[in-house]
Every structure is written in structure tokens, then in C-alpha cells.
Amino acid sequence: MATKKGGPTYRCSECGWTTVKWVGRCGECQAWGSVDEVGGATTRTLAAARVQRPAVPIREIDGEQATHRSTGVPEFDRVLGGGLVPGSVVLVAGEPGIGKSTLLLDVSARVGEGRRVLYITGEESAAQVRGRAERIGAVTDGLYLAAETDLATALAQIEQVRPDLVVIDSVQTIASTEVDGAAGNVSQVREVAGSLIQAAKEGGFAILLVGHVTKDGSIAGPRVLEHLVDVVVQFEGDRHTRLRLVRAVKNRFGPTDEVGCFDLTDAGIIGLSDPSGLFLSSRHINVPGTCATVTLEGRRPLVVEVQSLVSPSQIPTPRRANVGLDSGRLAMVIAVLDKRAGAPIGTQDTYVSTVGGVKITEPSSDLAVAIAIASAVLDEPVPHTLLALGEIGLSGEVRPAVGVARRLTEAARLGFRTALVPVGALADAAPPAGMDVVEVTDVGQAIAEMRQRHTGGTVHRLPSS
């Protein structure tokens, strides 16, 4: 787009679209709050500057300076790839009140037992942070508190304490007097993050930045913030449950397929090394409309339970409600059951939910959802020792899933004895000892296998409506 000669230029940090005046929404990618001033035309830098730190051969660089150091919280170390790397900057994002400050205060206390930690709070006073630290048992001599909202003062605190770890809670509350605008806007967040990152690289200490999220769950502020930091960690969980999941979205020092599980209690936040039991109901009798499956959260298999309820609809358009599942995939599974398996659910309300507040996004849970709905339609319970996993196609076929052997090993450990899996899922591995693995080709066969294990005899497909 043509711009006025000598005038300022505004550019979208998401897609690079430019305009001659500021707008709240990008005209190209339609992103809100991503357009910021980049200044007018400037001359290019042609003269070479004096080199302060000359380049050295890669073999002469000490790789020990980039090794992980444990935080003392094993589940947090799992997500980070082994711990914090000196000089790294980690962005921790999540909804308000979900437990970010509690987790980072616990991490600060663990690290502060042998090293210095500076906790800079811009949302609370130092006395309020001290009160929470006493409640969760996070008071240690190596933890320093400072309530600051000015960037220059925060940097001065870092120079004075010389910590090994700095926690900024939060990056949206710190502002620089050298930049126009209130704290939290695009320019301020970029300036604060850039100054802190430079200080971390030069000082060799790690920084944990707390970041807010928008209504749609994305990290607030410019997209460039996620590109500048080394690690982006997402804090997830339902505020009405105690379960919290910490997931690495970006990690320059480790994998991004690890998930940490925590239990948020009144006494603090506790890491869960074996969380599978949280996603199963505590019942001991078979109830129609339930089926278990195994989902992979990163490299960790989690056994979860899907519950379904089908009832006659009192309105012309039946309701399709779900909690913890993707609405599009649920609608597809219902359509496949109606068309390929003859399930009479076209005029009935369908409610599907997961146990424990866990969210399932894997397509491998389709078969468990279909069996749970079919069980509710037939009013026949699924044996509590049976689970199902596999993706369902539009033609009704059951497609393979990844990591089936790892999933079944976890299920066998929790007492499951029968598994419905796609054909060829265990071609390169043996089934776990004591588990009956049944391979199915389509959803109709899977439902028939489920009914046979319930009745103990030969059954046919679902009755047509």
C-alpha cells in the first residue's frame, strides 16, 4: 500500500500489512490490536561498527552454559524439557485465577532454596504475595519480593539482587516511561519484553513472564512476544475443577509434546505423576452411555471416560450438547451412527461429556464416543473393563491411531481387560498380558462386539428408527 512521503507507517505484526493510519483491526488478516507504528522512512546503516564480542569457532563454545537446571517441580521440569536454561525467557500464559501465580511462587520457593530468586509483582503488593507464600509453604531465604510497575526500576532491582531466576507477574503490568501509552498496550509490552530478554541474555539468568490471555484463549499482546521468548507455556484447566494442565506450545530447548498435570488445592499446587484415575468415574456398576478410551497428551497416555445421554427431543431441532469434546467431530460421529449404523437418534437430544473436566481433541476418541452414544440408545451398559480407541471415517470405517501399544499398556495397568482397536493397530507389537484385543473394521462391528460382551451371545446391528 502506498504511504505518505515522510509520514509514519503502521504495520500488522501478524501478517505485515501496512497502512498510513492506525486502525484497530488489520485489513488483511483481520487480527485485532496487531497494527502498530513502525515510524517513517529512515536511512540504511552502511558503516560497520566496532565488534565488541568477536565470533569464535563453534567447538570453542562452552555448551554447559545452556544445560537445564531443575526447578524442583518435576511436572514443570517435564514440560520445560528438564528445567530452566540460564539466559532463557519463558512465557507462562493462562486465564485469570487459574493458578499461574501459585505455580510460579512454588517454583520460586523451590529454586530459592539453593539459589537467588527475584519475584517482581505488578498486580499485588509484597505483603499480599507473602501471605500467599505462607499459605502454600513457599517462604524461603533465597526468595526476594519487589512490587514494581516501572521497567527501569525493575531492571535496577535485578542489577542489585543479581538473581539466578526472575519472575515477572505480569508482563502487562510493567511499563516504560520512554514509551507512550498505558501499561499493557502493544508498544509497552514489546518494549518491556525486549528489555527483559536483553537483560536475561547478558546476565545469564532465567526469566519467567506471566502473560494474560484474551477471550478466545490466545496470548494477549503482540504476536512478536511469542517469537521473542524461548519457551511458551500454556496453563489450561476448568476453573470449577482442581485439575490443571501445563502444556508447552513452543520450546527451543526441548520437546513440545509434553504435558504436566497439577492438582490445585487450598494448600497450593501439587504435581500429579499419575493422573489417569482422575478422568474415570468412581462407580463400580455398569451404567448405559459410558465408554473409556486412552488419549495421548504429549507422550503421556491418559485413560479418560466419555459419558452420553440420549433422550426424546421436545423441540423440532434436537439438541447436540457436549463438554470436553470438539463439537464438529461429535456432530460427525452422530451423523455416521445415524447413516451407517442405523441408530435412531435423528429426533433425539444427545448430551456427551468427559469425566474430570479433561478436554479431548484427538480423533482416536471417536470410537469411544460412538459406543457411548450407542450404549445410551440401546440402554445397554458397556462393561467397565472395556475400552475403545480409533478414528471414525465418514463411511463408518475405523481408522488406525498412533501409539496403540503404549495406550493399551496404560489401560491394562488400570485394570481394563478388553480393547476395541482398528485392524492392524498392533501389527508391530504384542498386546499387554491379560488383555483381550479385538480388531474391528467399522463402527457397526464395534457396537456388535460391545453388545456381545454385554449379553454374552450373538447380536446384530442397531435397530433402525
Side-chain angles (χ1 to χ4, degrees):
M1 177 180 293
T3 58
K4 296 179 180 179
K5 184 177 182 180
T9 302
Y10 297 86
R11 177 175 298 168
C12 174
S13 59
E14 296 279 354
C15 64
W17 178 76
T18 58
T19 180
V20 296
K21 63 179 181 178
W22 182 88
V23 291
R25 189 176 188 179
C26 175
E28 182 70 23
C29 65
Q30 304 300 315
W32 287 97
S34 61
V35 179
D36 193 27
E37 181 180 353
V38 296
T42 58
T43 60
R44 294 182 178 180
T45 301
L46 299 178
R50 182 182 297 273
V51 176
Q52 301 295 332
R53 293 188 296 268
V56 297
I58 189 172
R59 295 182 183 274
E60 299 180 9
I61 297 177
D62 185 10
E64 296 295 330
Q65 298 180 358
T67 57
H68 293 86
R69 296 184 181 181
S70 175
T71 63
V73 182
E75 287 298 303
F76 196 51
D77 289 343
R78 173 198 291 266
V79 178
L80 296 177
L84 290 170
V85 176
S88 64
V89 179
V90 180
L91 177 62
V92 182
E95 297 179 357
I98 201 171
K100 302 185 300 296
S101 300
T102 303
L103 173 62
L104 296 187
L105 189 58
D106 184 45
V107 170
S108 300
R110 303 289 182 92
V111 177
E113 294 177 357
R115 291 170 280 173
R116 284 192 176 188
V117 179
L118 176 59
Y119 192 104
I120 299 178
T121 173
E123 300 180 347
E124 300 175 285
S125 65
Q128 291 174 324
V129 177
R130 166 66 188 268
R132 190 192 310 119
E134 290 181 344
R135 176 172 55 85
I136 67 175
V139 178
T140 182
D141 294 336
L143 177 57
Y144 294 76
L145 296 180
E148 302 290 350
T149 57
D150 180 66
L151 175 61
T153 308
L155 294 175
Q157 291 277 10
I158 295 175
E159 291 183 1
Q160 181 177 356
V161 176
R162 296 188 178 276
D164 297 293
L165 173 63
V166 176
V167 178
I168 306 294
D169 188 8
S170 64
V171 68
Q172 279 89 0
T173 60
I174 308 297
S176 173
T177 57
E178 303 296 327
V179 178
D180 295 334
N185 68 12
V186 175
S187 301
Q188 286 286 1
V189 170
R190 181 184 287 113
E191 174 65 21
V192 171
S195 300
L196 291 174
I197 291 172
Q198 182 180 359
K201 304 300 182 184
E202 294 178 353
F205 56 86
I207 292 183
L208 292 173
L209 296 177
V210 177
H212 297 306
V213 298
T214 59
K215 293 181 180 180
D216 59 356
S218 59
I219 300 175
R223 196 73 179 182
V224 69
L225 180 61
E226 299 180 49
H227 297 297
L228 290 176
V229 299
D230 301 303
V231 183
V232 178
V233 173
Q234 193 79 25
F235 213 93
E236 303 174 355
D238 188 352
R239 298 182 63 181
H240 303 289
T241 62
R242 293 165 44 179
L243 177 67
R244 298 293 184 268
L245 298 179
V246 179
R247 189 187 311 272
V249 181
K250 170 189 175 182
N251 194 350
R252 290 175 177 168
F253 312 111
T256 57
D257 57 354
E258 287 289 359
V259 175
C261 299
F262 295 87
D263 184 15
L264 185 63
T265 64
D266 295 335
I269 191 165
I270 304 172
L272 301 175
S273 59
D274 187 15
S276 289
L278 296 176
F279 312 126
L280 298 174
S281 60
S282 58
R283 58 180 173 81
H284 299 286
I285 59 175
N286 297 334
V287 179
T290 64
C291 185
T293 187
V294 187
T295 180
L296 284 180
E297 288 292 346
R299 301 179 183 178
R300 169 181 289 177
L302 298 179
V303 180
V304 300
E305 184 176 302
V306 180
Q307 297 182 343
S308 175
L309 177 64
V310 178
S311 62
S313 179
Q314 305 298 325
I315 56 178
T317 303
R319 294 195 60 185
R320 302 286 187 257
N322 85 91
V323 176
L325 296 168
D326 181 72
S327 300
R329 296 207 67 86
L330 176 61
M332 185 201 72
V333 171
I334 293 176
V336 171
L337 284 175
D338 186 25
K339 185 70 174 180
R340 306 301 181 188
I345 56 178
T347 59
Q348 301 192 63
D349 295 333
T350 305
Y351 305 87
V352 183
S353 176
T354 57
V355 174
V358 65
K359 295 182 179 180
I360 301 178
T361 58
E362 266 198 311
S364 62
S365 63
D366 292 348
L367 187 58
V369 174
I371 291 180
I373 297 175
S375 173
V377 172
L378 296 166
D379 199 25
E380 295 180 2
V382 178
H384 65 273
T385 58
L386 182 143
L387 63 89
L389 56 93
E391 179 183 357
I392 296 179
L394 293 179
S395 61
E397 81 279 8
V398 180
R399 299 173 180 172
V402 298
V404 174
R406 194 190 322 164
R407 301 173 194 248
L408 296 184
T409 301
E410 176 69 11
R413 186 181 67 85
L414 295 178
F416 288 88
R417 294 294 174 260
T418 306
L420 303 181
V421 301
V423 174
L426 290 176
D428 300 330
M435 176 170 284
D436 181 19
V437 178
V438 181
E439 296 184 341
V440 295
T441 58
D442 56 52
V443 64
Q445 181 186 357
I447 296 173
E449 292 287 349
M450 178 272 294
R451 298 186 67 188
Q452 182 175 355
R453 277 151 181 77
H454 167 64
T455 60
T458 304
V459 296
H460 302 283
R461 290 177 177 265
L462 287 168
S464 58
S465 55

